[in-house]
Amino acid sequence: MPNPTLKLNDGATQFRIRLTLSLLTNTPLLIRNIRSSSVEAPGLTPYEISYLRLIDSLTNGTQIEINATGTQLKFKPGILVGGEVRHDCPVGRPSATTSDGDATDDGISDPRSIGYYLEYILPLAPFCKSPTSLTLTGITDGLTTLDPSPDYLAASHLHLLQAQFGLGREADEDYPPSISVIKRGAAPLGGGAVKFYSPIVKRSGVGSGELLPIDCCDIGKIKRVRGKVVCCKIPPSSAARAAHSAKGVMHRLLPDVWVHTDSYSSKAKAAVAGSATKRGKGGCGPSPGMTIHLIAQSTEGHVIAAETSLDPTGGRGRVLPEDLGQKAAALLLEEIRRGGCVDTGAQSLAFILMSLGPEDVARIRVGTLSKYSVETLRLIKKMVGVEFKVAGDEESKTVILSCLGSGYRNYSKAST
């Protein structure tokens, strides 16, 4: 039986998390004042409407009502079904760039990358009726300060799901959760594709469709750093310069550092000439771009990730590859300095999964709590009914959060 409708009057704040928790807790939503004060573009944006279509594709019985101006949304959650789904994410139109490559304000305003759509599908997929195989097309490598890249989600979020919460570690499951980039596509024109697969929570500590409780309070020591520089329609020498610059910073602190380069052109190259069965490079979309991903692995098995990218609106030649590499290394070092067992971008996912865990104590150490994470904690208390205890550690300048899980189970899974 659905819960009473939750009425929210502050617009599209935390839009994706609200929909995620609505589906998990079977709570209808009424969201008002969505950009109602905007004169030029009131109401829901094209990427938010596209996200609603994606949610509708993954569920059965979901009812979505949007008023004429788009400033009010009624959302009645259905049943999570998963399965084979393909979704085309909106991108900028060809008119979004000028002849010299500089960005303009034409086309779809601020097209979002695939990471925007995928990030909060991750906590939904384990609780679907059947395993989820989701293919998303659009921008794979956009502005990382706005949306996470698929490489970052695979390194940080999927590791959290699998290594800490136990998803995909059961012997009767065919494949673990995975995110694979089929084709690269930089902002704003996209042209890329990503495939996401997730099994469902079957048995456990996970015995009756529950996640495992976590106790992540010891970060350990950083033992190695791995990374990758991805460039589309940019000379491979620029990727090598960025990788060398990032390694130069990290080598001052530890010797085990590897940063690889991955360059793509607009034309796909077959692995073997005339062979259609062997997979070669999938090429990339029409827009140029460069992204750097760095991952630090600790002795306790935790992963801290950071990334940065060229700003597609900044024009060509305004940022040197060496500066981009140093910036990526500085971002990773800042995440390590904060001392958390997860990086800042994975905090909200960790809190959601902790609240859905079994009725046992779950603990996690994080660095500085972001404003987004604080709002997530408030939303979890309101919709899931789980309240976190927050305790500061003066010695390490970190924060330890603990909660008693709600005992959420995968009731949508097919019975056998």
Side-chain angles (χ1 to χ4, degrees):
M1 187 174 180
N3 296 321
T5 300
L6 178 62
K7 299 179 180 179
L8 302 164
N9 299 315
D10 52 352
T13 305
Q14 292 194 306
F15 183 73
R16 296 169 298 161
I17 294 184
R18 288 175 173 178
L19 296 181
T20 295
L21 294 180
S22 171
L23 287 164
L24 291 171
T25 60
N26 198 23
T27 302
L29 295 178
L30 176 58
I31 304 177
R32 300 191 182 101
N33 302 324
I34 302 175
R35 300 180 185 87
S36 56
S37 59
S38 174
V39 178
E40 296 181 356
L44 293 168
T45 60
Y47 56 82
E48 288 169 341
I49 294 173
S50 179
Y51 188 77
L52 288 170
R53 292 194 182 106
L54 175 59
I55 291 292
D56 188 53
S57 301
L58 291 169
T59 59
N60 184 16
T62 297
Q63 298 179 14
I64 301 171
E65 295 181 19
I66 304 172
N67 68 350
T69 59
T71 57
Q72 179 174 297
L73 168 68
K74 291 182 180 179
F75 183 82
K76 184 177 180 181
I79 299 174
L80 292 165
V81 294
E84 292 270 354
V85 176
R86 180 183 176 88
H87 181 75
D88 298 324
C89 309
V91 297
R93 291 193 288 266
S95 59
T97 56
T98 61
S99 58
D100 61 354
D102 290 333
T104 69
D105 293 330
D106 298 332
I108 296 177
S109 61
D110 298 326
R112 307 299 288 265
S113 67
I114 288 175
Y116 170 85
Y117 302 88
L118 186 55
E119 185 175 11
Y120 288 103
I121 297 299
L122 295 180
L124 290 176
F127 300 102
C128 288
K129 183 178 181 180
S130 58
T132 300
S133 180
L134 173 63
T135 301
L136 296 169
T137 62
I139 300 170
T140 60
D141 297 271
L143 192 60
T144 55
T145 55
L146 191 63
D147 300 314
S149 68
D151 303 88
Y152 169 80
L153 294 176
S156 179
H157 290 50
L158 278 194
H159 178 270
L160 187 66
L161 264 171
Q162 188 173 6
Q164 304 300 333
F165 290 95
L167 180 65
R169 296 197 309 189
E170 303 301 323
D172 60 342
E173 291 173 351
D174 296 331
Y175 302 101
S178 64
I179 296 175
S180 56
V181 180
I182 302 172
K183 182 181 178 182
R184 295 282 175 180
L189 303 182
V194 172
K195 187 166 185 178
F196 165 62
Y197 174 81
S198 173
I200 61 173
V201 180
K202 295 180 180 178
R203 58 186 189 80
S204 120
V206 188
S208 46
E210 291 181 337
L211 295 170
L212 291 172
I214 66 169
D215 188 5
C216 300
C217 291
D218 185 8
I219 179 61
K221 302 292 185 181
I222 301 300
K223 63 180 181 179
R224 67 170 66 97
V225 172
R226 297 291 182 262
K228 179 167 60 175
V229 182
V230 176
C231 66
C232 300
K233 299 192 70 175
I234 289 179
S237 60
S238 297
R241 290 163 58 189
H244 181 75
S245 177
K247 286 189 291 184
V249 176
M250 302 306 301
H251 271 311
R252 300 175 188 175
L253 304 173
L254 75 165
D256 193 359
V257 179
W258 289 89
V259 181
H260 302 279
T261 60
D262 205 353
S263 301
Y264 295 85
S265 64
S266 57
K267 294 182 179 180
K269 296 180 180 179
V272 178
S275 173
T277 59
K278 294 192 176 182
R279 178 183 164 191
K281 277 195 173 183
C284 67
S287 297
M290 180 188 293
T291 308
I292 303 179
H293 318 276
L294 294 178
I295 305 163
Q297 301 175 2
S298 78
T299 54
E300 297 297 324
H302 301 298
V303 168
I304 304 296
E307 63 179 353
T308 188
S309 64
L310 286 176
D311 188 350
T313 64
R316 293 180 180 177
R318 300 184 185 179
V319 179
L320 293 175
E322 290 81 2
D323 295 337
L324 198 67
Q326 291 179 3
K327 181 181 178 181
L331 289 172
L332 181 63
L333 291 175
E334 173 61 21
E335 288 290 347
I336 296 173
R337 183 199 64 81
R338 292 174 180 174
C341 293
V342 296
D343 52 76
T344 305
Q347 287 178 2
S348 293
L349 176 67
F351 298 156
I352 291 174
L353 296 177
M354 286 171 66
S355 69
L356 299 175
E359 296 179 7
D360 196 357
V361 177
R363 298 192 304 163
I364 191 169
R365 182 188 298 273
V366 301
T368 305
L369 275 173
S370 65
K371 293 182 179 179
Y372 195 83
S373 299
V374 173
E375 292 298 324
T376 300
L377 292 173
R378 292 171 178 163
L379 194 60
I380 289 173
K381 180 181 178 182
K382 183 183 296 184
M383 298 187 68
V384 186
V386 172
E387 186 172 359
F388 282 74
K389 180 181 178 181
V390 182
D393 187 344
E394 293 295 333
E395 183 179 353
S396 62
K397 305 298 181 182
T398 58
V399 181
I400 298 177
L401 294 97
S402 59
C403 74
L404 191 65
S406 61
Y408 188 86
R409 296 181 180 181
N410 186 5
Y411 294 108
S412 299
K413 67 184 178 69
S415 58
T416 56

